[in-house]
Amino acid sequence: MDAEVFRAWIVSAAGVIEANRDHLTQLDAAIGDADHGINLARGFTAVLVALDAPGAKTATPGAILTVTGNTLISKVGGASGPLYGTAFRRAGKALGDAADVDLPALAAALDAALAGVQQLGAAREGDKTMVDALAPATRAFSKAIADRAAPDDALSVLAEAASAGAAATVSMQALKGRASYLGPRSVGHEDPGAVSTALILGALRDAARAGR
Ligand code: ADP
Ligand code: MG
């Protein structure tokens, strides 16, 4: 997967976040402050501008993810901006200067993203956050690669595990972030950040498949 595929991922992620902007905001209205869709849509709109800016460093997959992360950190308020920004920056750093990224390198980058999110936000699996989508997704992806799954299948496993992880947050009580203020009343709702993570990883599957 080359820089064009990674650019296509981010463009597709921006599109799917925009299309789900109101849905994400409604999920956040139930257990947060009703801004998650607004936050992310604004952030990804800024990312698209940054990627097309004159002189933007976008020649490699890693550079594209680094621009994405830097922009999300600077443009998105709330918890999710720094968390997603760190995730993309760490992934970009893990890819280094490689012009082409294979599935194991992509898996290592997603692992680095997860480690960054957990280092910054201290959420563990079960705390009802984006970690509950990202962690099972990276685990399933690495396992699929180790089991020698076909690339398309490994990418499907990644996206489906993220969606299943997001769905599983419904029954969890939030222990991190704004939703944790609700205590037991946070049970019964899907976590907005877990849903947006599943959307972003679904966009990765789609872009990687189209670009192969
Ligand atoms: P805010 O909560 O500041 O309004 P957003 O609404 O944009 O920010 O994002 C909320 C999402 O951020 C949550 O649904 C959750 O997935 C994620 N989140 C919040 N705190 C943490 C954390 N400590 N670790 C991981 N994810 C978190
Ligand atoms: Mg919010």
Side-chain angles (χ1 to χ4, degrees):
M1 288 166 274
D2 62 10
E4 280 314 305
V5 171
F6 279 78
R7 179 183 282 270
W9 170 23
I10 301 305
V11 171
S12 170
V16 78
I17 290 294
E18 182 63 38
N20 285 276
R21 188 183 122 113
D22 293 347
H23 176 54
L24 293 170
T25 290
Q26 279 160 16
L27 292 175
D28 198 30
I31 58 170
D33 57 352
D35 65 357
H36 189 59
I38 296 163
N39 284 341
L40 280 192
R42 187 177 57 235
F44 274 96
T45 299
V47 167
L48 296 184
V49 172
L51 288 177
D52 285 337
K57 289 205 176 74
T58 59
T60 62
I64 285 172
L65 298 190
T66 299
V67 169
T68 300
N70 287 342
T71 307
L72 291 176
I73 287 176
S74 68
K75 299 286 180 188
V76 182
S80 63
L83 289 164
Y84 273 126
T86 298
F88 279 103
R89 277 167 63 145
R90 290 290 182 92
K93 194 171 174 194
L95 295 180
D97 293 333
D100 215 74
V101 172
D102 60 12
L103 289 190
L106 178 59
L110 293 174
D111 284 344
L114 171 63
V117 168
Q118 291 194 288
Q119 196 184 343
L120 183 62
R124 289 186 287 210
E125 283 184 76
D127 288 354
K128 197 179 180 98
T129 71
M130 60 177 71
V131 169
D132 291 303
L134 187 53
T138 60
R139 197 160 49 232
F141 190 46
S142 292
K143 182 175 186 309
I145 294 167
D147 292 346
R148 299 180 184 282
D152 280 358
D153 294 340
L155 289 157
S156 288
V157 162
L158 170 76
E160 282 159 21
S163 295
T169 64
V170 171
S171 62
M172 295 174 187
Q173 177 174 333
L175 297 178
K176 285 283 183 299
R178 214 176 269 282
S180 66
Y181 306 158
L182 292 181
R185 282 186 292 130
S186 62
V187 176
H189 305 276
E190 208 171 13
D191 177 64
V195 173
S196 58
T197 292
L199 292 173
I200 291 166
L201 293 180
L204 172 57
R205 172 200 53 206
D206 295 345
R209 281 181 159 189
R212 286 182 348 95

